[in-house]
Amino acid sequence: MLMEVKEHPEKMDNIEITDALLAAQAFVFFVAGFETSSTTMSHALYELAQNQDMQNKLREEITENFAKNNGISSYDQLKELKYLDKVFKGRSI
């Protein structure tokens, strides 16, 4: 979106599109994404620390998946971890 704005500055009313402005906006997007991710991880880790049974079940799922894939981890393998998905999405477990 930022690149499109740079290519078509007429879409922005009375705002000068500079490299500094585009870099600042990209930084804001990065920080906003980082904050939500870190907050989600913090809450999930807190809940895991408070609930030993949930922590053990998740550890077992990760260990089994890791062993099944010969100690190799990838994004596709992470998508197979249904319990992990539920933990981070706060769904009924």
Side-chain angles (χ1 to χ4, degrees), residues 47-59:
E47 290 300 324
L48 288 169
Q50 296 297 313
N51 188 330
Q52 190 69 42
D53 293 335
M54 192 165 55
Q55 186 182 134
N56 290 337
K57 186 174 179 179
L58 181 59
R59 183 182 295 114

Side-chain angles (χ1 to χ4, degrees), residues 12-30:
M12 299 296 291
D13 295 326
N14 301 324
I15 297 176
E16 181 183 354
I17 306 300
T18 63
D19 288 340
L21 176 69
L22 293 174
Q25 289 301 312
F27 179 74
V28 168
F29 292 152
F30 172 76

Side-chain angles (χ1 to χ4, degrees), residues 54 82-93:
M54 192 165 55
K82 301 301 180 196
Y83 194 72
L84 177 67
D85 185 59
K86 289 179 180 183
V87 167
F88 275 95
K89 290 183 179 175
R91 295 195 174 143
S92 299
I93 300 172

Side-chain angles (χ1 to χ4, degrees), residues 67-84:
K68 180 178 84 173
N69 295 295
N70 300 319
I72 298 172
S73 184
S74 71
Y75 177 71
D76 289 330
Q77 292 162 2
L78 283 177
K79 293 191 302 185
E80 295 173 8
L81 301 174
K82 301 301 180 196
Y83 194 72
L84 177 67

Side-chain angles (χ1 to χ4, degrees), residues 34-72:
F34 176 78
E35 181 181 348
T36 55
S37 298
S38 62
T39 300
T40 300
M41 286 188 287
S42 295
H43 286 288
L45 291 172
Y46 175 78
E47 290 300 324
L48 288 169
Q50 296 297 313
N51 188 330
Q52 190 69 42
D53 293 335
M54 192 165 55
Q55 186 182 134
N56 290 337
K57 186 174 179 179
L58 181 59
R59 183 182 295 114
E60 184 178 320
E61 180 185 50
I62 292 169
T63 303
E64 286 175 5
N65 183 274
F66 198 67
K68 180 178 84 173
N69 295 295
N70 300 319
I72 298 172

